[in-house]
Every structure is written in structure tokens, then in C-alpha cells.
Amino acid sequence: MNEAKRYFQPEWETMPADRIKEHQSKLLVKQVQHVWDHVPYYKKLMQDKGVEPGDITGIDDIWKLPFLSKDDLREAYPYGLLAEPLENCVRIQSTSGTTGRRVVAFYTQEDIDLWEECCARAIVAAGGSNQDVCQVSYGYGLFTGGPGLNGGSHKVGCLTIPTSSGNTERQIMFIKDLSATILCCTPSYAAYLGETMKEMGMGPEDIPLKAGIFGAEAWTEEMRRDIEKTMGIKAYDIYGLTEISGPGVSFECEAQTGMHINEDHFYAEIINPNTGEVLPEGTKGELVFTSLDKCAFPLLRYRTRDICVLTRERCSCGRTFIKMAKPMGRSDDMLIIKGVNVFPSQIETVLLNKGYPANYLITVDRVNNSDTLDIDVEMTPEMFSDNLSVISRREKELIDALKAMLGIYARVHLVAPKTITRSEGKAVRVIDKRKLV
Ligand code: DLL
């Protein structure tokens, strides 16, 4: 029997920070030349900023390079940022693209290997080995969740169950009958699976799962605790984005105190989203990534819109990679209601702390030139009551707690269990009607 490994690639994952920096510097110099030679769109951005490949001698020069944004990706759609001839590419993946054109990312076989290795690191960090059965319940297809974790699971040597998302009762049947020990899906789908398990009369003791690798959307510590309790597992966060590869750009270890960024492949910066100024480690701001060694779709200084903090404290797991905190939301998810900045994650924290499930819907509107905030919150079956005074007391309690957290008034509507639509992938929790007109 193989002993479980602590790291998938220990030589990289525990490399001293100064050697990682040296490695990043070499890769960046090469990557800038590759992009200059093959991506006229970015070459022009560099020329407009008055910078040439010779100006980049190492990672400390990265600030000289121009940023890329989602608008650039849309403008350059579909081939404008491709850095390899199409005959060298073997795959595309794409984002769900809620507005306008989708983002299409290209991969060579080397790019796929690099990406799957990053996912394998995440699975090993969650305690995975070739003794494990890994059920991948992220969607398969253009979305990167299923293909990325599937490839990572193969590289670790897990027996992989590619269920994709949906068919919730069958998911639970497979977990039980095929003894799945690791589950990969969005946190909202994990919560839904847990809820369905309860309804089927099953508790944590009835399933062999030991770990979950949940990401692709923001989730709170409160939600983590709920899922861990319902399923009897340790729940690990995983982060990534299609533009940079997919899941596995960063991953959590057993310390569960932030996600290690795979720094040998992806260089991270935090900037002030309004000015573009690079901020020191430990400061909250917008996360920017540079792909150091991807071939087909190598984005330099890509602005993710995700708001978070980086820290390089020594981690008890022994990994030396810098850590990013759980993103607290996207700068474009941040709601400005009556002039106040509101993140959906703050609302979720209040609801879960008060014992409500993570099934809620936030609706923002503008009535008579004034913003309104309405929150539909599902009650648990235990809370459900047809006594109106009990319900209005509970609503009042939530309104007060939300006012204390957000500083503004929110109308709360408690609704019956199971009335809010469940998500099998990324949950839709905000409707901003002001944007629809
Ligand atoms: O969501 C890739 C992924 C798949 C990550 C499976 C993890 C697991 P996109 O669809 O391109 O790619 O969406 C990327 O999702 O910029 C974040 O805003 C958000 N996101 C991803 N992971 C997390 C996370 C995949 N762990 C966008 N926490 C990113 C918070 C996350 N937000």
C-alpha cells in the first residue's frame, strides 16, 4: 500500500522563496519575449506604454508592463491573444460569460499538463492519494471545473468518478456505493448535496467521504463549517479562472488559512483597482495574475476583479508558496446600495451566523430614485412556522443584524423551505434590477 504523500511536487511546493523568485524572473523574461513575438495585440499595448522586452530583466520589472482586462479579452476575441499556431493547440475552454462575448482560452498539451498538475497538488493537499476515490461533480464541458479536477485526479492516481453536476440523488448513490472519499464541486452544490442527504435520512456516518475540494464561487467560513458538519468531511477551498488556466491557480492545505498560489507558474500582484498602483503584501485590493510559462494563452498582468489579500507567512504545511485569502467578492459583484459598498458575502455571514441555510436571494432595485434591498431567506424545516408573529419577530431580528453589519436597511422576507432554486454549479444569489433597465 502506498503511503499518502504530503506534496504532489515537493521540489516546487517547498522551494525557498528566493529560489522561486529567481525562477519567476527567468520565466518572465522569456514569456515577455514570446508574447512580443507572437501577440500583436499585447505588443501594441507595450508599445503604447513605451516598454520593450529588453526593459524586463526580472520579476521586479513586472510593474512596467501594461495590464490586461476582460475588455481586452472581449476585444481580441477569439484569436487576438493566441500566442501559438492553432496546430499546436489541443483544447479550448470558455467562461460562462454573462454579458457580451465569452472568453475563450486555448491550451497546448504542455498547458494542459501544467494545469492538471496544479489540480493534482490541490488534491494531494486535501489528503488525496492513489488510495482515494475522487468524485468530480463540477460541470464538464466548456467550464474548466470538471476537466481540470478530472485531469488532476488522474495524475494523483485516484479512481475518478466523472459524474459532472446534476442528478443529485445519483451523486449520493455513487458516493455511497463506490465509496467516494473526495468530492469536488461548487460549495453551493455541496450544501445542496448535504441537504438532500439529510432528506434521504443519511448522516455523515453513512458516507465514506473524508474531504471536499470546493471552489469556483465565493463562500464563507460559516458555509464551510455547515458543509463540514453535514458531510463529516474537511472542506478545502480551491481557486482559479479560465483566463489563467482554470481551477488550481491556488489551493488550500490542511491549515485552511488561505490558498497557496502555484507561484512557479502564476505570479500574483495586488493593486488598487482605481489607480492600478501595486499594493504591499497584506493590503486588500484587486488580484492580478501573470502566466509565467503557459504557451498558447499567456496573459500578462491580467486583472481578475477579485478582491483579496496576499500573505507570505510561514505555513504549518511546509509549503512556501504565497497565500491568498478567500476572495471576499469581485469588484464587479460589489453592490453599491444607497452609496454604501455591500458584498453578498457579508449578507451570507449574517444569515449563517443566525442559523439560516445558505439559500437566499438578494434583489436590488431603484424605486422613486432610491435604492431598495430585499433579501428572501429560506427557513430550515425546523424553523418553519405558520405563526405570523413568530415569523415577523425572526424577520425583525435579521433586519437588525443586517443593519449592524451593512449599515443600511434591508427588507427581509422569510420563505418556506425549498422555495429558492438550488444550483448545481455556480449559485446565482443577486438580482440587480437597476442594471437591467
Ligand atoms: O470558476 C474555475 C474554477 C473551477 C475554480 C472549479 C475552482 C473550482 P471561471 O468560471 O472562469 O473559472 O470563474 C472565475 O470565479 O475570477 C472568481 O471570481 C470566482 N472564483 C473561482 N474560485 C473561487 C473561490 C472557475 N475559491 C471566477 N472563491 C474567479 C471565490 C472564486 N471565488
Side-chain angles (χ1 to χ4, degrees), residues 133-156:
V133 177
C134 181
Q135 181 154 321
V136 182
S137 311
Y138 285 110
Y140 281 63
L142 289 170
F143 177 54
T144 52
L149 268 312
N150 190 91
S153 175
H154 279 220
K155 289 227 185 292
V156 175

PDB file of all heavy atoms in Angstrom, residues 133-156:
ATOM      1  N   VAL A 133     -10.877   7.555  -3.917  1.00  0.00           N
ATOM      2  CA  VAL A 133     -11.877   7.582  -4.988  1.00  0.00           C
ATOM      3  C   VAL A 133     -12.398   9.022  -5.028  1.00  0.00           C
ATOM      4  O   VAL A 133     -12.919   9.527  -4.037  1.00  0.00           O
ATOM      5  CB  VAL A 133     -13.026   6.596  -4.690  1.00  0.00           C
ATOM      6  CG1 VAL A 133     -14.091   6.681  -5.784  1.00  0.00           C
ATOM      7  CG2 VAL A 133     -12.497   5.174  -4.557  1.00  0.00           C
ATOM      8  N   CYS A 134     -12.197   9.657  -6.172  1.00  0.00           N
ATOM      9  CA  CYS A 134     -12.474  11.088  -6.264  1.00  0.00           C
ATOM     10  C   CYS A 134     -13.666  11.327  -7.193  1.00  0.00           C
ATOM     11  O   CYS A 134     -13.604  11.011  -8.386  1.00  0.00           O
ATOM     12  CB  CYS A 134     -11.202  11.765  -6.798  1.00  0.00           C
ATOM     13  SG  CYS A 134     -11.345  13.525  -6.964  1.00  0.00           S
ATOM     14  N   GLN A 135     -14.745  11.836  -6.627  1.00  0.00           N
ATOM     15  CA  GLN A 135     -15.947  12.096  -7.429  1.00  0.00           C
ATOM     16  C   GLN A 135     -15.929  13.561  -7.875  1.00  0.00           C
ATOM     17  O   GLN A 135     -15.936  14.458  -7.038  1.00  0.00           O
ATOM     18  CB  GLN A 135     -17.189  11.793  -6.598  1.00  0.00           C
ATOM     19  CG  GLN A 135     -18.471  12.013  -7.371  1.00  0.00           C
ATOM     20  CD  GLN A 135     -19.620  11.160  -6.838  1.00  0.00           C
ATOM     21  OE1 GLN A 135     -19.444  10.005  -6.469  1.00  0.00           O
ATOM     22  NE2 GLN A 135     -20.800  11.729  -6.801  1.00  0.00           N
ATOM     23  N   VAL A 136     -15.903  13.758  -9.197  1.00  0.00           N
ATOM     24  CA  VAL A 136     -15.822  15.123  -9.726  1.00  0.00           C
ATOM     25  C   VAL A 136     -17.226  15.557 -10.160  1.00  0.00           C
ATOM     26  O   VAL A 136     -17.735  15.117 -11.194  1.00  0.00           O
ATOM     27  CB  VAL A 136     -14.804  15.227 -10.879  1.00  0.00           C
ATOM     28  CG1 VAL A 136     -14.707  16.674 -11.361  1.00  0.00           C
ATOM     29  CG2 VAL A 136     -13.435  14.720 -10.439  1.00  0.00           C
ATOM     30  N   SER A 137     -17.844  16.399  -9.337  1.00  0.00           N
ATOM     31  CA  SER A 137     -19.217  16.830  -9.603  1.00  0.00           C
ATOM     32  C   SER A 137     -19.281  18.283 -10.058  1.00  0.00           C
ATOM     33  O   SER A 137     -20.326  18.925  -9.958  1.00  0.00           O
ATOM     34  CB  SER A 137     -20.078  16.629  -8.353  1.00  0.00           C
ATOM     35  OG  SER A 137     -19.897  15.335  -7.836  1.00  0.00           O
ATOM     36  N   TYR A 138     -18.142  18.827 -10.509  1.00  0.00           N
ATOM     37  CA  TYR A 138     -18.172  20.102 -11.236  1.00  0.00           C
ATOM     38  C   TYR A 138     -18.679  19.780 -12.634  1.00  0.00           C
ATOM     39  O   TYR A 138     -18.497  18.660 -13.130  1.00  0.00           O
ATOM     40  CB  TYR A 138     -16.763  20.678 -11.380  1.00  0.00           C
ATOM     41  CG  TYR A 138     -16.175  21.282 -10.128  1.00  0.00           C
ATOM     42  CD1 TYR A 138     -15.119  20.666  -9.462  1.00  0.00           C
ATOM     43  CD2 TYR A 138     -16.637  22.497  -9.633  1.00  0.00           C
ATOM     44  CE1 TYR A 138     -14.549  21.224  -8.338  1.00  0.00           C
ATOM     45  CE2 TYR A 138     -16.079  23.069  -8.498  1.00  0.00           C
ATOM     46  CZ  TYR A 138     -15.033  22.426  -7.855  1.00  0.00           C
ATOM     47  OH  TYR A 138     -14.478  22.991  -6.743  1.00  0.00           O
ATOM     48  N   GLY A 139     -19.247  20.801 -13.302  1.00  0.00           N
ATOM     49  CA  GLY A 139     -19.690  20.594 -14.671  1.00  0.00           C
ATOM     50  C   GLY A 139     -18.516  20.272 -15.599  1.00  0.00           C
ATOM     51  O   GLY A 139     -17.420  20.805 -15.417  1.00  0.00           O
ATOM     52  N   TYR A 140     -18.751  19.388 -16.543  1.00  0.00           N
ATOM     53  CA  TYR A 140     -17.760  19.077 -17.581  1.00  0.00           C
ATOM     54  C   TYR A 140     -18.179  19.804 -18.855  1.00  0.00           C
ATOM     55  O   TYR A 140     -19.359  20.038 -19.076  1.00  0.00           O
ATOM     56  CB  TYR A 140     -17.718  17.571 -17.864  1.00  0.00           C
ATOM     57  CG  TYR A 140     -16.940  16.752 -16.849  1.00  0.00           C
ATOM     58  CD1 TYR A 140     -17.347  16.693 -15.518  1.00  0.00           C
ATOM     59  CD2 TYR A 140     -15.798  16.044 -17.229  1.00  0.00           C
ATOM     60  CE1 TYR A 140     -16.631  15.943 -14.592  1.00  0.00           C
ATOM     61  CE2 TYR A 140     -15.084  15.294 -16.306  1.00  0.00           C
ATOM     62  CZ  TYR A 140     -15.509  15.253 -14.985  1.00  0.00           C
ATOM     63  OH  TYR A 140     -14.801  14.506 -14.073  1.00  0.00           O
ATOM     64  N   GLY A 141     -17.233  20.100 -19.691  1.00  0.00           N
ATOM     65  CA  GLY A 141     -17.555  20.783 -20.944  1.00  0.00           C
ATOM     66  C   GLY A 141     -16.693  22.012 -21.075  1.00  0.00           C
ATOM     67  O   GLY A 141     -15.496  21.982 -20.771  1.00  0.00           O
ATOM     68  N   LEU A 142     -17.295  23.122 -21.482  1.00  0.00           N
ATOM     69  CA  LEU A 142     -16.517  24.351 -21.643  1.00  0.00           C
ATOM     70  C   LEU A 142     -16.029  24.891 -20.304  1.00  0.00           C
ATOM     71  O   LEU A 142     -14.961  25.491 -20.203  1.00  0.00           O
ATOM     72  CB  LEU A 142     -17.360  25.414 -22.350  1.00  0.00           C
ATOM     73  CG  LEU A 142     -17.629  25.144 -23.826  1.00  0.00           C
ATOM     74  CD1 LEU A 142     -18.670  26.124 -24.362  1.00  0.00           C
ATOM     75  CD2 LEU A 142     -16.337  25.248 -24.642  1.00  0.00           C
ATOM     76  N   PHE A 143     -16.815  24.687 -19.243  1.00  0.00           N
ATOM     77  CA  PHE A 143     -16.418  25.109 -17.897  1.00  0.00           C
ATOM     78  C   PHE A 143     -15.183  24.303 -17.484  1.00  0.00           C
ATOM     79  O   PHE A 143     -15.091  23.099 -17.734  1.00  0.00           O
ATOM     80  CB  PHE A 143     -17.581  24.856 -16.930  1.00  0.00           C
ATOM     81  CG  PHE A 143     -17.279  25.187 -15.501  1.00  0.00           C
ATOM     82  CD1 PHE A 143     -16.807  26.443 -15.134  1.00  0.00           C
ATOM     83  CD2 PHE A 143     -17.466  24.241 -14.494  1.00  0.00           C
ATOM     84  CE1 PHE A 143     -16.533  26.753 -13.804  1.00  0.00           C
ATOM     85  CE2 PHE A 143     -17.198  24.542 -13.165  1.00  0.00           C
ATOM     86  CZ  PHE A 143     -16.724  25.802 -12.823  1.00  0.00           C
ATOM     87  N   THR A 144     -14.230  24.986 -16.824  1.00  0.00           N
ATOM     88  CA  THR A 144     -12.952  24.332 -16.519  1.00  0.00           C
ATOM     89  C   THR A 144     -12.996  23.404 -15.294  1.00  0.00           C
ATOM     90  O   THR A 144     -12.072  22.617 -15.094  1.00  0.00           O
ATOM     91  CB  THR A 144     -11.882  25.412 -16.226  1.00  0.00           C
ATOM     92  OG1 THR A 144     -12.402  26.297 -15.229  1.00  0.00           O
ATOM     93  CG2 THR A 144     -11.501  26.196 -17.464  1.00  0.00           C
ATOM     94  N   GLY A 145     -14.065  23.539 -14.471  1.00  0.00           N
ATOM     95  CA  GLY A 145     -14.104  22.796 -13.206  1.00  0.00           C
ATOM     96  C   GLY A 145     -13.955  21.283 -13.386  1.00  0.00           C
ATOM     97  O   GLY A 145     -13.051  20.658 -12.805  1.00  0.00           O
ATOM     98  N   GLY A 146     -14.858  20.685 -14.194  1.00  0.00           N
ATOM     99  CA  GLY A 146     -14.822  19.226 -14.400  1.00  0.00           C
ATOM    100  C   GLY A 146     -13.517  18.756 -15.030  1.00  0.00           C
ATOM    101  O   GLY A 146     -12.783  17.938 -14.450  1.00  0.00           O
ATOM    102  N   PRO A 147     -13.164  19.288 -16.227  1.00  0.00           N
ATOM    103  CA  PRO A 147     -11.928  18.813 -16.887  1.00  0.00           C
ATOM    104  C   PRO A 147     -10.669  19.002 -16.030  1.00  0.00           C
ATOM    105  O   PRO A 147      -9.810  18.119 -15.999  1.00  0.00           O
ATOM    106  CB  PRO A 147     -11.842  19.682 -18.149  1.00  0.00           C
ATOM    107  CG  PRO A 147     -13.233  20.170 -18.389  1.00  0.00           C
ATOM    108  CD  PRO A 147     -13.923  20.229 -17.066  1.00  0.00           C
ATOM    109  N   GLY A 148     -10.567  20.123 -15.315  1.00  0.00           N
ATOM    110  CA  GLY A 148      -9.353  20.393 -14.529  1.00  0.00           C
ATOM    111  C   GLY A 148      -9.176  19.395 -13.400  1.00  0.00           C
ATOM    112  O   GLY A 148      -8.129  18.760 -13.252  1.00  0.00           O
ATOM    113  N   LEU A 149     -10.213  19.227 -12.571  1.00  0.00           N
ATOM    114  CA  LEU A 149     -10.104  18.311 -11.431  1.00  0.00           C
ATOM    115  C   LEU A 149     -10.039  16.859 -11.898  1.00  0.00           C
ATOM    116  O   LEU A 149      -9.388  16.029 -11.270  1.00  0.00           O
ATOM    117  CB  LEU A 149     -11.282  18.520 -10.472  1.00  0.00           C
ATOM    118  CG  LEU A 149     -11.087  19.520  -9.317  1.00  0.00           C
ATOM    119  CD1 LEU A 149      -9.779  19.297  -8.556  1.00  0.00           C
ATOM    120  CD2 LEU A 149     -11.122  20.936  -9.753  1.00  0.00           C
ATOM    121  N   ASN A 150     -10.692  16.570 -13.034  1.00  0.00           N
ATOM    122  CA  ASN A 150     -10.626  15.218 -13.592  1.00  0.00           C
ATOM    123  C   ASN A 150      -9.172  14.875 -13.931  1.00  0.00           C
ATOM    124  O   ASN A 150      -8.652  13.820 -13.548  1.00  0.00           O
ATOM    125  CB  ASN A 150     -11.488  15.172 -14.858  1.00  0.00           C
ATOM    126  CG  ASN A 150     -11.691  13.764 -15.375  1.00  0.00           C
ATOM    127  OD1 ASN A 150     -12.645  13.102 -15.000  1.00  0.00           O
ATOM    128  ND2 ASN A 150     -10.788  13.285 -16.216  1.00  0.00           N
ATOM    129  N   GLY A 151      -8.511  15.813 -14.621  1.00  0.00           N
ATOM    130  CA  GLY A 151      -7.105  15.590 -15.006  1.00  0.00           C
ATOM    131  C   GLY A 151      -6.206  15.484 -13.785  1.00  0.00           C
ATOM    132  O   GLY A 151      -5.324  14.625 -13.716  1.00  0.00           O
ATOM    133  N   GLY A 152      -6.466  16.344 -12.783  1.00  0.00           N
ATOM    134  CA  GLY A 152      -5.661  16.313 -11.566  1.00  0.00           C
ATOM    135  C   GLY A 152      -5.829  14.986 -10.842  1.00  0.00           C
ATOM    136  O   GLY A 152      -4.864  14.399 -10.351  1.00  0.00           O
ATOM    137  N   SER A 153      -7.061  14.502 -10.802  1.00  0.00           N
ATOM    138  CA  SER A 153      -7.357  13.250 -10.108  1.00  0.00           C
ATOM    139  C   SER A 153      -6.619  12.084 -10.781  1.00  0.00           C
ATOM    140  O   SER A 153      -6.055  11.207 -10.108  1.00  0.00           O
ATOM    141  CB  SER A 153      -8.878  13.054 -10.125  1.00  0.00           C
ATOM    142  OG  SER A 153      -9.231  11.829  -9.584  1.00  0.00           O
ATOM    143  N   HIS A 154      -6.592  12.090 -12.117  1.00  0.00           N
ATOM    144  CA  HIS A 154      -5.834  11.054 -12.838  1.00  0.00           C
ATOM    145  C   HIS A 154      -4.357  11.121 -12.480  1.00  0.00           C
ATOM    146  O   HIS A 154      -3.705  10.109 -12.273  1.00  0.00           O
ATOM    147  CB  HIS A 154      -5.960  11.256 -14.346  1.00  0.00           C
ATOM    148  CG  HIS A 154      -7.237  10.709 -14.906  1.00  0.00           C
ATOM    149  ND1 HIS A 154      -7.313  10.045 -16.120  1.00  0.00           N
ATOM    150  CD2 HIS A 154      -8.497  10.724 -14.427  1.00  0.00           C
ATOM    151  CE1 HIS A 154      -8.561   9.689 -16.350  1.00  0.00           C
ATOM    152  NE2 HIS A 154      -9.295  10.102 -15.344  1.00  0.00           N
ATOM    153  N   LYS A 155      -3.816  12.341 -12.449  1.00  0.00           N
ATOM    154  CA  LYS A 155      -2.369  12.483 -12.195  1.00  0.00           C
ATOM    155  C   LYS A 155      -2.017  11.964 -10.798  1.00  0.00           C
ATOM    156  O   LYS A 155      -0.939  11.412 -10.597  1.00  0.00           O
ATOM    157  CB  LYS A 155      -1.931  13.946 -12.337  1.00  0.00           C
ATOM    158  CG  LYS A 155      -1.944  14.447 -13.778  1.00  0.00           C
ATOM    159  CD  LYS A 155      -0.662  15.185 -14.131  1.00  0.00           C
ATOM    160  CE  LYS A 155      -0.660  15.802 -15.502  1.00  0.00           C
ATOM    161  NZ  LYS A 155      -0.661  14.924 -16.643  1.00  0.00           N
ATOM    162  N   VAL A 156      -2.939  12.142  -9.840  1.00  0.00           N
ATOM    163  CA  VAL A 156      -2.676  11.630  -8.487  1.00  0.00           C
ATOM    164  C   VAL A 156      -2.832  10.107  -8.465  1.00  0.00           C
ATOM    165  O   VAL A 156      -2.250   9.423  -7.630  1.00  0.00           O
ATOM    166  CB  VAL A 156      -3.637  12.299  -7.458  1.00  0.00           C
ATOM    167  CG1 VAL A 156      -3.483  11.706  -6.075  1.00  0.00           C
ATOM    168  CG2 VAL A 156      -3.402  13.799  -7.413  1.00  0.00           C
TER     169      VAL A 156
END
